[in-house]
Amino acid sequence: MIKTILWDVDGTLLDFKAAESAAIKSLFEEFSLGTCSENMLQRYSQINSSYWQRLEANEITKPQVLVGRFQQFFGEIGVNTAIAEEFNRQYQIRLGDTVVYRDNSIDIIKKLRGKIKQYVVTNGTIVAQKKKLRLSGLGDLMDGIFISDEIGVEKPNRAFFDAVFNTVQPENLSEVIIVGDSLTSDIRGGNNAGILTCWYNPEQKPQPQDYRIDYVISDLHRVLTIIDTQ
């Protein structure tokens, strides 16, 4: 029986792409950088993903991710890279302004509330995550929130989950499941922690062979069924 769910936020409960797009477009105006085209946004997203994957592989640090991605992006589009640090600081604040639920996730959280323990596990920054969890209402519905910046280590490292379990104290790890969209962060993290994994895969990408994935879903409502069938 599953008694505890660890929820990822960006790309799972909330539409990160929508928040990312809105934040960058508004900051391009504020910094007088002209229009940020869809092609620019797509390229930034690619750069951003590559930096986070390097962080998850322990190749670079969090500060190198946050500033380095904008330095590379600005360098490619001909913008002064000296503004990268301030741009990122403002970006963390703006990122929490746009709330778009994936699959009406807040309704799913409400339906499970009181029936099962629910926790947020996220690699996002403290500023961005606390704001989006507050404005979305998701934070108040959770039994706890675990942000990597506060813990001091990122998913998928086992140390992140050890810190979570020290607080949550599940009776049995077989009763814990992580739900997330990232193979390298959420699913790999679940594998490292020895818990059940549920890959949120709305784009229906091919399932890789080098991960242990217990459930694959394209709609978050499927989690309700998974819980009921345990």
Side-chain angles (χ1 to χ4, degrees), residues 1-6 115-119 165 168-179 190 193-197 212 214-215 226-227 230:
M1 176 179 287
I2 296 173
K3 296 182 179 180
T4 302
I5 296 183
L6 308 181
K115 299 178 181 178
I116 191 170
K117 293 293 184 180
Q118 301 182 87
Y119 301 90
F165 297 149
V168 174
Q169 296 189 336
E171 293 182 7
N172 195 317
L173 292 181
S174 65
E175 299 173 342
V176 181
I177 189 170
I178 184 170
V179 181
I195 61 177
L196 295 171
T197 60
R212 177 182 52 76
D214 297 293
Y215 302 94
I226 292 171
I227 299 302
Q230 295 301 306

Side-chain angles (χ1 to χ4, degrees), residues 79-91:
V79 169
N80 184 358
T81 59
I83 70 168
E85 188 168 352
E86 178 59 21
F87 192 96
N88 173 70
R89 191 180 73 80
Q90 294 295 331
Y91 175 71

Side-chain angles (χ1 to χ4, degrees), residues 48-94:
N48 184 50
S49 294
S50 70
Y51 270 77
W52 281 99
Q53 288 173 10
R54 290 169 63 192
L55 174 68
E56 291 158 8
N58 297 314
E59 296 175 357
I60 57 177
T61 66
K62 189 74 158 285
Q64 287 175 315
V65 171
L66 300 180
V67 178
R69 57 186 177 174
F70 286 118
Q71 288 176 331
Q72 180 176 337
F73 176 53
F74 291 153
E76 289 186 10
I77 64 174
V79 169
N80 184 358
T81 59
I83 70 168
E85 188 168 352
E86 178 59 21
F87 192 96
N88 173 70
R89 191 180 73 80
Q90 294 295 331
Y91 175 71
Q92 298 307 318
I93 299 171
R94 295 289 180 87

Side-chain angles (χ1 to χ4, degrees), residues 1-224:
M1 176 179 287
I2 296 173
K3 296 182 179 180
T4 302
I5 296 183
L6 308 181
W7 289 103
D8 174 54
V9 177
D10 294 323
T12 304
L13 294 177
L14 297 178
D15 188 333
F16 178 75
K17 296 294 184 184
E20 175 184 73
S21 175
I24 291 179
K25 285 182 176 179
S26 67
L27 287 173
F28 259 60
E29 292 184 9
E30 183 173 316
F31 280 75
S32 301
L33 301 179
T35 300
C36 184
S37 68
E38 291 303 315
N39 285 339
M40 288 180 181
L41 280 171
Q42 184 177 9
R43 178 55 186 151
Y44 167 74
S45 185
Q46 292 170 344
I47 293 171
N48 184 50
S49 294
S50 70
Y51 270 77
W52 281 99
Q53 288 173 10
R54 290 169 63 192
L55 174 68
E56 291 158 8
N58 297 314
E59 296 175 357
I60 57 177
T61 66
K62 189 74 158 285
Q64 287 175 315
V65 171
L66 300 180
V67 178
R69 57 186 177 174
F70 286 118
Q71 288 176 331
Q72 180 176 337
F73 176 53
F74 291 153
E76 289 186 10
I77 64 174
V79 169
N80 184 358
T81 59
I83 70 168
E85 188 168 352
E86 178 59 21
F87 192 96
N88 173 70
R89 191 180 73 80
Q90 294 295 331
Y91 175 71
Q92 298 307 318
I93 299 171
R94 295 289 180 87
L95 199 55
D97 290 341
T98 301
V99 173
V100 178
Y101 303 105
R102 302 297 304 263
D103 302 334
N104 195 23
S105 59
I106 192 166
D107 182 57
I108 297 168
I109 300 301
K110 287 178 178 177
K111 287 181 178 178
L112 290 172
R113 184 168 168 79
K115 299 178 181 178
I116 191 170
K117 293 293 184 180
Q118 301 182 87
Y119 301 90
V120 158
V121 289
T122 175
N123 278 352
T125 66
I126 295 173
V127 172
Q129 301 308 80
K130 287 194 171 181
K131 185 175 184 180
K132 68 180 64 173
L133 289 170
R134 175 173 54 83
L135 293 181
S136 67
L138 290 169
D140 289 337
L141 296 172
M142 295 291 169
D143 293 290
I145 297 170
F146 298 93
I147 302 174
S148 62
D149 275 2
E150 293 182 322
I151 292 176
V153 64
E154 318 289 326
K155 296 180 296 183
N157 290 289
R158 175 60 191 256
F160 175 93
F161 292 91
D162 285 344
V164 171
F165 297 149
N166 282 341
T167 299
V168 174
Q169 296 189 336
E171 293 182 7
N172 195 317
L173 292 181
S174 65
E175 299 173 342
V176 181
I177 189 170
I178 184 170
V179 181
D181 68 304
S182 172
L183 289 169
T184 56
S185 175
D186 304 312
I187 304 306
R188 179 69 73 203
N191 290 172
N192 290 342
I195 61 177
L196 295 171
T197 60
C198 179
W199 182 31
Y200 178 48
N201 181 25
E203 298 176 358
Q204 299 186 4
K205 299 175 183 176
Q207 184 170 335
Q209 299 301 312
D210 52 343
Y211 296 87
R212 177 182 52 76
I213 305 176
D214 297 293
Y215 302 94
V216 180
I217 60 174
S218 59
D219 188 308
L220 293 176
H221 288 88
R222 175 81 175 97
V223 173
L224 299 174

